[in-house]
Amino acid sequence: MLQLRLLGSVELATPERTAEVGPPQRRAVLAALAVDAGRPVGADVVIRRVWGTAPPDGARRSVYSHIARIRRICEQTGDAAGERLRLTRRSGGYVLEAGPEQVDVHHFRRLVDRARAARLPDPARASLLEEALGLWRGEPLSGLDGLWAEQAREAWRRERTDATVAWAGVRTRLGDPAAAIGPLSALHAEHPLVEPLAEALMRALYAAGRGAEALECYATVQQRLAEELGTDPGPALREVHRTVLRGQAPEPTAPARPVAPPRPGPQRGVVPAQLPVGVRGFTGREEELSRLDTFLEAARLSAPVVISALSGTAGVGKTTLAVHWGHRVRKHFPDGQLYVNLRGFDPSGSLQDPAEALRGFLDAFGVPPARIPTGLEAQAALYRSLLADRRVLVVLDNALDAQQVRPLLPGAPGCLALVTSRNRLTSLAAAEGAHLLAIDVLSPAEARSLLAGRLGAHRTAAEPAAVADIVARCAGLPLALAVVAARAAAQPHIPLATLADELSDAGDRLDALDGGDPASQVRAVFSWSYDALSPAAATLFRLLGLHPGPDVSVLAAASLAGVPAARARALLAELTRTHLIAEPVPGRYSFHDLLRAYAGELARSQDEEDSRRHATHRMLDHYLHTALRAQRLLGPPADRILPSPARPRSVPEEPAGREAAMAWFTAEHPVLLAAVRLAFETGFDTHVWQLAASLTTYQQRRVLWSDWNTVHTVALAAARRLADPAARACARRNLGNAASALGRQAEARAHLERAAELYRALGDPGGEGHTRLALGRVSTRQGRRPEALEHSLRAVELFDAAGDRAWQALALNNVGWDHAVLGHHQQAIVHGRQALALVEQTGHTSGEAHTWDTLGYAHHHLGQYDEAAACYRQAAALFHDLGDRYFEADILAHLGDTHHAARNTDAARDAWTRSLTVFEELGHPDTEALRARLLHHLGKDPADTVLPERD
């Protein structure tokens, strides 16, 4: 079977051979995908796992390159083995499609889980555990650096230790303890302070008749624990020690070790079970449950007291998850399960006092009232003493802050405290080492499963479209879905489509999600967090309801609120702590649709219309002025936009250079698309067409042609409302360019001819010159090449009249290109060199890159392959620097053609492969044609072709 191995060095292996994955960085990318095999992994997640929180420039490009190469390796290796792994792109990221036994760490876990079955015979249990442990080949993720790799290694080592201890216990029960001694000794030497290992080793040594060695092992562990941790061995290890002692005659000079007297207080037989009833039909949360299971492993290994803090927005299901997991693992806490609702965000303001909660816990253990001391500190000390040497789960629900939680935390190993809060309890992590786990909304699949569990699969299957609408409009919020499900269950005769229609209007959506009591009214639940905000944070939260989404930067939020950036950052931090918004990536903030609807509702009810409009104006000015600054850094724009000055307290950004400008557009592009729609809906028509124009260069370079078409369709409608001919001309010209790029040449010509008329009427030679260049491209694509040359020659004259030397140079290059496609290659070189001389003076990098392409084409068709290759390499490098990935890929394909014509097969193969890699990452329709051409020229079948590496 083809296997992807992580429990050792990262490799793909078949019974016959091991595939070479490549350098450490690529192995790290493969591992980052493999640990979530079968589930989408976003590029941002891969970047974080490979480089951490401060990735280098170009990390995303490297990930795409590595993923393309891994895809090829999977295909080639699969053909050799008769099976294959598949790496596919889905909406949520990249999915490594592998069978459950093909990734060794997942196979290991499945085998261990099967070995834990209650009624499994010991021989079968031993066989499964031996097979699982046999998958380990050394240090996991060997050779990979970074925090994520180290954390994964540490977690997997704990799982291996647990499996080894379990296997040793089975071998001992089967009468073969000697077989366990060697593996246990080796593992104990690596982890000398892990007490379950020492316990298992002592048991095996004693059962094998080597009691003296067992006692020596105990003495060594006891000494090291005292020296390194300042603690004594735990109760389990001490019990094994007593067992060994009872089985041997004591040394005459060795005094008997006194048995500690029983601790005064409650009887051991009192086992509290305070967990509330779990939710019927609990679904989803597999990743969160798995993380909690990892924390449980630490508690079982007698690690220092384990604290997990679940945080998330109102109604996201923190309590439901905590209670469900508590019931699922209660067998691991035989000494009891404690639960208290601390009422940190109760609408009544009745906060649970820690002393009151402690008294409830002490009562649960049967401590006589006369023995409960007065004072919080004394009660907490008694509580911690009570939990020492016990395994107890403590669920502290709905905490306000870390101060409320601290007196209720256990103080000894073996216990696990599970805290839920709407606030992110970072101080609990810093001081007590708590594991923080943010709870997000449900995925669409989990949400559908929740509805099916509450309403019955037959009902949800009968109306799949309505279910999809409900899921989308509830934004994955479990509370909202539960309210809808309750209404649907109470009215089984009402179609689900009717409920979906009630949710369709965002303004009424919160009314539709009314469960009839304060605990289930979504609006009320949100209000509990909102009411706890400072006045300034509450104002920002309301104004964020005006933002179009999907996320917002600090400076955009500052512009919206009209406050300095530092103040906005502090207010955003307050909103994040209360989980009214999230910070999915550093510096960018978002909230889900229901909270957005709630914030917008508050803004409409509490803020004056003028105040809301001024805030929207400042926000749109932020985006418009930043976008225009960023566009100018990418090269001379085709559209000359002269916006009105930004309003006071609007805070535009200042990208530092070309790369920063591209990064800003990449981060903000979804927001800018939404901002164009918002500006149109709210009557900011000048912002509409100017924002659309500011996006043009970026959308061209990123091959976002459909988005280009969409924003300028809105821009044309806004220009018509304004009755502004310059705005109409700009929108028409861009719609023509977008339609041409999308292959709709007749539509493109109609738009462009109308734009040319408008520019002539306006007396704008530069605008008409750009339109002539576009008409030339359309003419070429329609096969009307002499006409294309006429348009290009006219564009040269128009740009000369406008005094625009940069674009005059590009028009000269178009003249050269038109000569080239007409077969006039020497004339093409003459005009290309004229264009190059002019463009080098103006610094128009994009124009320079296109000119080198023209010269390369002309030299190629004159049989001057060395000159052509040099020109193409120059063009590809410039397009790469510009971030223009489509033209970079296109030029690399031409370079491959030139090398092929020169019979330089290796160089052709390399250039075509690099081109194919970029086209694949773009998802461009030229991909398959290029792949077919590459394979045809190489004379190979796709299944036998391994493309060369590109790092």
Side-chain angles (χ1 to χ4, degrees):
M1 176 184 294
L2 175 64
Q3 273 208 330
L4 203 167
R5 297 175 176 172
L6 306 180
L7 299 176
S9 57
V10 179
E11 60 187 34
L12 276 169
T14 71
E16 293 80 22
R17 66 190 184 89
T18 299
E20 176 57 41
V21 175
Q25 199 175 89
R26 184 173 303 136
R27 297 202 303 274
V29 172
L30 179 57
L33 297 167
V35 294
D36 285 314
R39 294 184 293 185
V41 182
D44 289 332
V45 175
V46 176
I47 290 170
R48 188 165 60 251
R49 289 176 176 175
V50 175
W51 287 282
T53 57
D57 293 340
R60 188 173 298 272
R61 288 197 301 273
S62 295
V63 165
Y64 291 147
S65 177
H66 288 311
I67 284 174
R69 177 60 184 166
I70 289 167
R71 186 181 290 124
R72 302 280 78 73
I73 296 172
C74 288
E75 291 172 357
Q76 186 270 343
T77 307
D79 290 327
E83 300 188 29
R84 67 173 52 202
L85 301 175
R86 295 183 63 227
L87 182 54
T88 59
R89 182 76 171 89
R90 295 187 190 168
S91 59
Y94 293 93
V95 179
L96 184 66
E97 297 178 1
E101 297 182 354
Q102 287 185 275
V103 182
D104 60 358
V105 69
H106 300 313
H107 187 32
F108 168 81
R109 287 169 173 161
R110 285 170 59 87
L111 291 168
V112 172
D113 287 343
R114 286 169 57 193
R116 288 173 176 160
R119 297 184 180 180
L120 191 69
D122 274 348
R125 198 186 311 274
S127 178
L128 288 169
L129 290 169
E130 285 165 5
E131 183 181 353
L133 293 167
L135 295 171
W136 286 71
R137 298 171 293 108
E139 180 80 351
L141 304 178
S142 176
L144 301 189
D145 298 323
L147 178 61
W148 173 80
E150 186 52 44
Q151 289 175 335
R153 267 193 290 269
E154 185 59 33
W156 297 350
R157 288 188 196 113
R158 289 196 294 268
E159 294 180 46
R160 180 192 183 192
T161 298
D162 194 29
T164 304
V165 169
W167 167 78
V170 176
R171 295 306 324 171
T172 301
R173 288 198 302 271
L174 289 171
D176 187 17
I181 292 173
L184 284 172
S185 298
L187 201 55
H188 180 55
E190 295 178 29
H191 309 288
L193 299 180
V194 176
E195 293 188 44
L197 271 176
E199 177 190 340
L201 178 56
M202 288 179 65
R203 290 186 186 278
L205 288 166
Y206 179 59
R210 296 159 62 175
E213 292 177 54
L215 292 174
E216 183 181 350
C217 175
Y218 179 84
T220 302
V221 172
Q222 183 182 41
Q223 181 180 359
R224 294 197 65 162
L225 286 170
E227 291 175 351
E228 298 185 28
L229 301 179
T231 64
D232 292 325
L237 193 56
R238 293 201 302 269
E239 181 59 34
V240 177
H241 181 240
R242 285 193 290 269
T243 298
V244 176
L245 287 174
R246 284 195 296 267
Q248 284 185 309
E251 294 288 336
T253 56
R257 182 169 179 170
V259 179
R263 192 170 47 248
Q267 297 296 314
R268 276 288 194 177
V270 179
V271 178
Q274 295 186 331
L275 291 175
V277 176
V279 172
R280 181 179 63 85
F282 182 90
T283 187
R285 300 300 191 194
E286 294 301 323
E287 182 176 351
E288 292 86 350
L289 290 169
S290 176
R291 289 280 303 280
L292 290 172
D293 287 343
T294 301
F295 304 150
L296 172 63
E297 290 301 306
R300 290 175 61 194
L301 291 173
S302 297
V305 61
V306 176
I307 307 162
S308 176
L310 309 183
S311 60
T313 193
V316 82
K318 302 180 295 296
T319 298
T320 300
L321 173 62
V323 171
H324 174 80
W325 184 78
H327 281 292
R328 196 174 83 161
V329 302
R330 59 186 301 174
K331 64 183 179 183
H332 297 294
F333 298 97
D335 296 313
Q337 305 90 45
L338 300 173
Y339 172 88
V340 64
N341 180 0
L342 296 173
R343 302 193 301 270
F345 296 87
D346 194 276
S348 68
S350 176
L351 191 72
Q352 173 85 289
D353 185 84
E356 183 184 353
L358 275 173
R359 176 62 183 264
F361 287 169
L362 295 173
D363 288 342
F365 275 109
V367 178
R371 286 206 61 251
I372 298 178
T374 58
L376 178 62
E377 290 187 11
Q379 290 176 358
L382 175 60
Y383 166 70
R384 288 192 294 269
S385 299
L386 186 64
L387 295 190
D389 297 342
R390 283 182 165 90
R391 286 191 173 275
V392 177
L393 173 66
V394 183
V395 179
L396 307 174
D397 192 22
N398 200 18
L400 177 65
D401 52 28
Q403 184 177 356
Q404 188 188 22
V405 166
R406 285 193 172 100
L408 307 175
L409 297 175
C415 294
L416 189 149
L418 186 57
V419 186
T420 77
S421 177
R422 295 185 194 177
N423 288 324
R424 187 176 297 156
L425 304 180
T426 50
S427 65
L428 206 61
E432 280 79 18
H435 303 278
L436 301 184
L437 179 56
I439 308 302
D440 204 349
V441 296
L442 296 175
S443 69
E446 290 173 327
R448 289 192 297 270
S449 180
L450 184 152
L451 290 175
R454 302 288 182 93
L455 301 177
H458 64 284
R459 188 171 179 189
T460 54
E463 296 187 73
V467 169
D469 284 345
I470 290 170
V471 166
R473 289 163 185 165
C474 287
L477 191 70
L479 174 60
L481 290 160
V483 171
V484 174
R487 288 192 60 195
Q491 299 171 297
H493 59 283
I494 294 181
L496 297 180
T498 301
L499 293 176
D501 288 341
E502 289 184 33
L503 294 169
S504 61
D505 181 48
D508 298 331
R509 196 179 303 176
L510 294 172
D511 290 323
L513 295 172
D514 187 342
D517 67 86
S520 61
Q521 289 173 347
V522 173
R523 184 186 283 106
V525 172
F526 290 163
S527 73
W528 303 337
S529 292
Y530 173 77
D531 290 343
L533 294 173
S534 66
T539 299
L540 177 57
F541 176 73
R542 295 195 305 272
L543 293 177
L544 287 173
L546 307 177
H547 188 275
D551 55 10
V552 62
S553 67
V554 173
L555 290 183
S559 299
L560 191 62
V563 299
R567 179 62 173 154
R569 190 173 287 108
L571 296 176
L572 290 165
E574 180 178 347
L575 294 175
T576 303
R577 286 195 300 272
T578 59
H579 285 284
L580 284 169
I581 63 173
E583 189 179 7
V585 296
R588 301 200 68 82
Y589 300 84
S590 65
F591 48 17
H592 61 65
D593 288 348
L594 291 177
L595 276 166
R596 186 185 302 280
Y598 177 62
E601 178 184 273
L602 290 174
R604 288 187 294 274
S605 64
Q606 298 187 24
D607 296 309
E608 297 291 336
E609 182 178 353
D610 282 351
S611 177
R612 298 197 305 271
R613 189 162 182 83
H614 290 325
T616 301
H617 198 158
R618 289 194 302 268
M619 174 186 66
L620 292 174
D621 277 355
H622 161 82
Y623 286 121
L624 175 60
H625 285 266
T626 307
L628 290 173
R629 293 172 185 178
Q631 186 183 44
R632 284 192 291 270
L633 290 170
L634 302 182
D639 301 299
R640 294 183 181 276
I641 305 300
L642 300 174
S644 299
R647 288 183 66 82
R649 295 185 293 158
S650 179
V651 192
E653 295 189 38
E654 291 280 1
R658 184 186 300 154
E659 288 189 7
M662 286 297 288
W664 184 85
F665 272 122
T666 299
E668 299 288 359
H669 187 251
V671 183
L672 293 168
L673 296 180
V676 169
R677 291 192 296 271
L678 174 69
F680 184 77
E681 291 165 1
T682 50
F684 288 93
D685 289 329
T686 299
H687 285 80
V688 172
W689 77 267
Q690 292 183 345
L691 265 174
S694 72
L695 285 165
T696 298
T697 303
Y698 176 78
Q699 289 174 333
Q700 284 179 301
R701 293 195 182 164
R702 284 290 188 254
V703 200
L704 301 171
W705 295 329
S706 294
D707 291 334
W708 192 9
N709 182 75
T710 298
V711 294
H712 284 286
T713 300
V714 180
L716 182 58
R720 285 170 172 160
R721 279 200 314 214
L722 286 168
D724 184 339
R728 292 207 314 277
C730 176
R732 287 276 192 186
R733 186 181 60 76
N734 278 289
L735 280 171
N737 276 322
S740 179
L742 291 166
R744 306 196 297 261
Q745 305 308 328
E747 176 187 337
R749 181 175 290 276
H751 281 302
L752 292 169
E753 288 177 346
R754 180 64 182 134
E757 293 171 7
L758 288 166
Y759 280 123
R760 278 197 299 275
L762 288 165
D764 183 349
E768 187 183 352
H770 285 294
T771 308
R772 290 286 183 175
L773 289 180
L775 280 166
R777 288 190 291 271
V778 170
S779 297
T780 297
R781 288 165 180 166
Q782 290 181 320
R784 297 153 69 168
R785 293 174 180 172
E787 181 183 293
L789 178 58
E790 292 176 12
H791 284 302
S792 297
L793 289 167
R794 178 62 181 146
V796 172
E797 296 171 356
L798 288 164
F799 285 125
D800 184 46
D804 192 332
R805 293 172 62 79
W807 282 100
Q808 184 181 8
L810 193 63
L812 276 170
N813 172 61
N814 277 33
V815 171
W817 177 257
D818 293 332
H819 277 299
V821 296
L822 286 167
H824 312 150
H825 302 305
Q826 290 291 358
Q827 288 175 277
I829 291 174
V830 170
H831 284 89
R833 294 192 183 284
Q834 290 176 354
L836 196 61
L838 190 56
V839 82
E840 287 176 345
Q841 297 173 22
T842 61
H844 193 327
T845 308
S846 176
E848 182 182 355
H850 282 290
T851 304
W852 282 114
D853 178 30
T854 297
L855 290 170
Y857 183 89
H859 282 299
H860 176 100
H861 285 82
L862 288 170
Q864 299 165 354
Y865 298 127
D866 288 344
E867 293 88 341
C871 292
Y872 282 140
R873 281 193 292 269
Q874 185 72 14
L878 289 169
F879 281 126
H880 179 81
D881 291 343
L882 286 167
D884 196 328
R885 308 192 73 234
Y886 168 76
F887 277 113
E888 178 188 0
D890 190 50
I891 298 301
L892 288 170
H894 297 333
L895 177 60
D897 294 341
T898 294
H899 284 312
H900 179 71
R903 291 178 167 74
N904 191 343
T905 304
D906 289 342
R909 174 189 176 94
D910 176 70
W912 281 332
T913 300
R914 292 165 62 198
S915 174
L916 183 61
T917 298
V918 178
F919 275 130
E920 283 180 332
E921 292 166 5
L922 292 172
H924 196 273
D926 288 353
T927 302
E928 291 309 315
L930 180 60
R931 184 190 296 279
R933 176 157 44 123
L934 187 159
L935 298 173
H936 170 73
H937 286 311
L938 295 178
K940 293 188 176 183
D941 183 79
D944 299 325
T945 302
V946 181
L947 303 180
E949 295 188 11
R950 180 192 179 208
D951 285 316

